[in-house]
Amino acid sequence: MTLAFKDGVHACIPTLLGYIGIGIAAGVIDKSANLSILEVTLLAMIVYAGAAQFIIAGLMMVATPVSAVIFTVFLVNSRHFLMSMATAPIFRQYSLLNNIGIGSLLTDESFAVAMTAISNKVPINPPWMHGLNLTAYLTWVLSCLMGALIGQWLPDPALFGLDYALVAMFIGLLYLQLISDKTKKIKNKITAMLTVSIMLVLLLRFISVELAILISTFIGCCLGILVEGKNDNV
Amino acid sequence: MTTYSLLIILGCGLVTWLPRVIPFILVKKIQLPDIILRFLCYVPICILTALFVSNLLIVKEGKFPELNMTYVLATIPTALVAFLTKNLMYIVISGMCFMAIIRHFCI
């Protein structure tokens, strides 16, 4: 059976609350940084990255130069390069246009959902991926717009635990990834996770969060294949 | 809308889009060696760990980060729900509820 667009939409549903929670929070925060409703919506449509949208609002509030804002956002989102690198080989045989479409809308969450599907031997294809990505995209843009609209009278999104939606989603995605990917030994995966955590804490003393995330991920992946290589030889 | 905000939105959009699509164009042209593919297999679990852990920390410039205790506290029951249900929707809803409850009683 070939997976269709609607199967991708279906696969996206469990992550929607995460997008809605964070999207509303991002909209509220962007609005409180004196961005207009139009600007908040354009940010969501064109930049389409949660963390970056929070940071842009913060930087614009203190009138940071355009070049500095763009460079910061580049650093924040450079992890997308790693995610796209990991996803691209799966869709290699399909058309360039399909590939650009998939890459343009790839997020932390759609990436994790696709990778978990792969681990579970689900034969994913471009229509499925577009269904997953577009559902997420529309939900995100609408949530940011809604956040901007209610930002005028909502005092503090943290009061409702909205800010924790993102952390909860990462807990869920991480756990699902941990139990679903059977190609790697659990011991190797935990070694990589511990390496990332320790490196992150150490690096954060010296460099920004975005760079620390990128470098600790890089080191974690290196250690992962290193212990894997050792286990294979035994 | 000012030129300032328009430039920021377009510029940030471009630097976010490029890292997303360039790998897809590259991979169509060249076959990646086995070692790179094995490296990339670890990206999901490592990047999710980094994103998760960084959200539990409060960064202090020039010092080691501190734990965000309310987040850590909410993580314990949320992780338990993850273990029991394996359902993302339940995990996110219960996580938000735990956070709201903790804020209500602790702060």
Side-chain angles (χ1 to χ4, degrees):
Chain A
M1 189 200 74
T2 318
L3 289 170
F5 186 86
K6 69 171 188 336
D7 298 310
V9 174
H10 195 248
C12 189
I13 290 171
T15 60
L16 287 186
L17 269 171
Y19 287 111
I20 293 169
I22 291 303
I24 290 177
V28 169
I29 285 161
D30 287 353
K31 190 71 189 58
S32 67
N34 290 324
L35 269 73
S36 68
I37 306 252
L38 176 69
E39 286 168 337
V40 175
T41 314
L42 279 178
L43 258 183
M45 287 173 74
I46 296 174
V47 179
Y48 186 45
Q53 283 173 233
F54 285 102
I55 292 163
I56 291 169
L59 291 175
M60 281 176 80
M61 217 150 51
V62 292
T64 315
V66 174
S67 54
V69 178
I70 294 175
F71 184 68
T72 310
V73 168
F74 174 71
L75 283 186
V76 174
N77 287 331
S78 41
R79 68 167 187 282
H80 283 113
F81 188 80
L82 277 181
M83 293 194 289
S84 282
M85 280 297 279
T87 314
I90 302 160
F91 297 103
R92 196 164 183 266
Q93 80 224 61
Y94 300 102
S95 76
L96 187 63
L97 206 63
N98 264 324
N99 274 280
I100 292 177
I102 292 166
S104 298
L105 295 183
L106 198 68
T107 66
D108 295 330
E109 296 82 11
S110 70
F111 169 68
V113 170
M115 286 297 152
T116 306
I118 297 264
S119 312
N120 289 331
K121 303 268 185 302
V122 179
I124 65 171
N125 54 17
W128 183 89
M129 198 66 205
H130 295 321
L132 172 68
N133 274 342
L134 278 172
T135 312
Y137 182 71
L138 287 178
T139 308
W140 176 254
V141 173
L142 289 177
S143 305
C144 287
L145 176 63
M146 207 154 77
L149 288 173
I150 59 178
Q152 276 130 330
W153 48 266
L154 189 68
D156 181 10
L159 266 180
F160 304 95
L162 271 178
D163 56 322
Y164 195 73
L166 186 71
V167 187
M169 188 158 55
F170 287 142
I171 294 171
L173 290 171
L174 184 59
Y175 182 73
L176 295 180
Q177 185 64 37
L178 187 69
I179 57 169
S180 67
D181 186 355
K182 303 279 196 298
T183 56
K184 294 185 277 288
K185 288 200 189 83
I186 196 104
K187 201 178 79 189
N188 295 352
K189 288 190 271 191
I190 294 194
T191 309
M193 286 171 67
L194 281 176
T195 311
V196 172
S197 310
I198 294 164
M199 285 315 299
L200 191 76
V201 171
L202 294 179
L203 286 167
L204 276 176
R205 185 176 177 139
F206 308 101
I207 55 176
S208 70
V209 181
E210 300 74 42
L211 263 182
I213 287 175
L214 199 66
I215 296 174
S216 60
T217 299
F218 188 84
I219 297 172
C221 293
C222 289
L223 212 92
I225 47 177
L226 223 88
V227 288
E228 201 175 64
K230 261 198 195 135
N231 290 354
D232 288 348
N233 293 340
V234 172
Chain B
M1 185 153 64
T2 59
T3 327
Y4 174 68
S5 53
L6 189 68
L7 278 177
I8 285 184
I9 292 169
L10 292 178
C12 293
L14 187 71
V15 296
T16 309
W17 185 64
L18 289 177
R20 272 177 171 150
V21 293
I22 286 173
F24 281 89
I25 298 166
L26 273 184
V27 164
K28 279 204 79 74
K29 303 262 181 275
I30 48 166
Q31 175 72 52
L32 295 172
D34 185 53
I35 184 88
I36 303 277
L37 290 174
R38 275 174 55 206
F39 173 90
L40 292 174
C41 281
Y42 275 94
V43 169
I45 201 139
C46 288
I47 214 149
L48 287 170
T49 305
L51 288 167
F52 165 58
V53 175
S54 69
N55 269 292
L56 293 186
L57 299 171
I58 303 168
V59 180
K60 306 230 163 152
E61 213 169 306
K63 288 189 188 142
F64 286 116
E66 279 174 18
L67 283 175
N68 183 336
M69 283 321 287
T70 49
Y71 274 21
V72 174
L73 218 59
T75 295
I76 300 164
T78 309
L80 194 69
V81 172
F83 178 73
L84 291 175
T85 67
K86 301 178 179 54
N87 180 316
L88 201 53
M89 192 114 76
Y90 294 153
I91 299 167
V92 174
I93 297 175
S94 62
M96 284 162 67
C97 293
F98 292 136
M99 192 71 236
I101 292 166
I102 288 168
R103 282 226 174 86
H104 186 74
F105 287 107
C106 300
I107 303 170

